[in-house]
Amino acid sequence: GAGFIFERFFRLRRKYVVPVGLADRTRELWKAGQVEELEKLGATEPSTMARVISFIVKHRTSPMVEVSEICGDLVTRELASHYQQAYPLGIVATLEPLLGLLGMILGMISTFETVALAGALGDATQLAAGISEALVTTGLGLAIAIPFLALYHVFKHKTNGFGALLEEEVTGLLS
């Protein structure tokens, strides 16, 4: 899970989706007639927006409605990829409490077996120690799940924000 967190912190940054100043630089290159450089932008700049700009310029003679629709599909596909890469965090956040609960149940079964073997009344210290040990798994499950769930939603929110910004920038360029 930690690997997925580090990957998302590294790969879900503005420079990989909607770099600052790229739209302005694109407008300048377009006005200067440097179409070839704009076409190469998708290969030279590692961002979603650069790939979309490259597509727009390569298909500049096609009907604008088709280009706009395909650009929307490109953006949707790339954002879906970002959502998919955050999904394992949601899985960890969902499974951890269940694994903690399973550990608690197995620990309680073991504890009650120990108390039952000790005699009719059993030893209260054995019971307390066993219950305490069994509850540790539930606590650890929740302690892991809560930050993972929070980070999953943080990354989803960032992706949504970048998506809105990307849509705004691409619409401005298409106009």
Side-chain angles (χ1 to χ4, degrees):
F4 286 108
I5 290 171
F6 290 126
E7 186 275 337
R8 286 291 77 204
F9 273 124
F10 180 73
R11 296 290 303 155
L12 187 60
R13 294 190 290 180
R14 182 164 179 174
K15 74 178 193 174
Y16 293 122
V17 184
V18 190
V20 176
L22 183 59
D24 294 332
R25 199 169 87 216
T26 299
R27 285 183 187 93
E28 290 171 10
L29 290 171
W30 182 259
K31 286 177 185 174
Q34 296 179 332
V35 178
E36 296 82 24
E37 191 169 330
L38 286 170
E39 287 179 355
K40 295 177 192 171
L41 206 57
T44 59
E45 295 256 347
S47 72
T48 302
M49 187 168 170
R51 286 186 285 280
V52 170
I53 291 168
S54 206
F55 177 84
I56 292 169
V57 173
K58 286 177 185 174
H59 297 90
R60 64 188 174 275
T61 58
S62 300
M64 189 54 65
V65 173
E66 290 178 14
V67 172
S68 176
E69 188 176 309
I70 295 171
C71 285
D73 291 344
L74 290 171
V75 168
T76 300
R77 213 175 349 204
E78 293 227 6
L79 291 177
S81 173
H82 284 291
Y83 287 122
Q84 280 299 111
Q85 291 167 344
Y87 190 67
L89 301 177
I91 292 173
V92 170
T94 302
L95 288 179
E96 278 304 317
L98 296 173
L99 292 172
L101 182 61
L102 176 63
M104 184 183 78
I105 290 170
L106 295 175
M108 294 297 285
I109 290 170
S110 174
T111 297
F112 286 123
E113 282 178 356
T114 303
V115 170
L117 292 174
L121 295 175
D123 183 5
T125 57
Q126 283 181 334
L127 183 63
I131 291 173
S132 173
E133 188 177 314
L135 288 173
V136 166
T137 59
T138 304
L140 285 174
L142 290 172
I144 292 170
I146 292 168
F148 271 79
L149 185 61
L151 286 170
Y152 171 70
H153 286 288
V154 164
F155 293 133
K156 273 183 63 175
H157 180 72
K158 269 182 89 169
T159 302
N160 286 337
F162 287 151
L165 187 59
L166 185 60
E167 183 181 337
E168 182 182 319
E169 292 283 357
V170 170
T171 301
L173 288 173
L174 285 171
S175 296

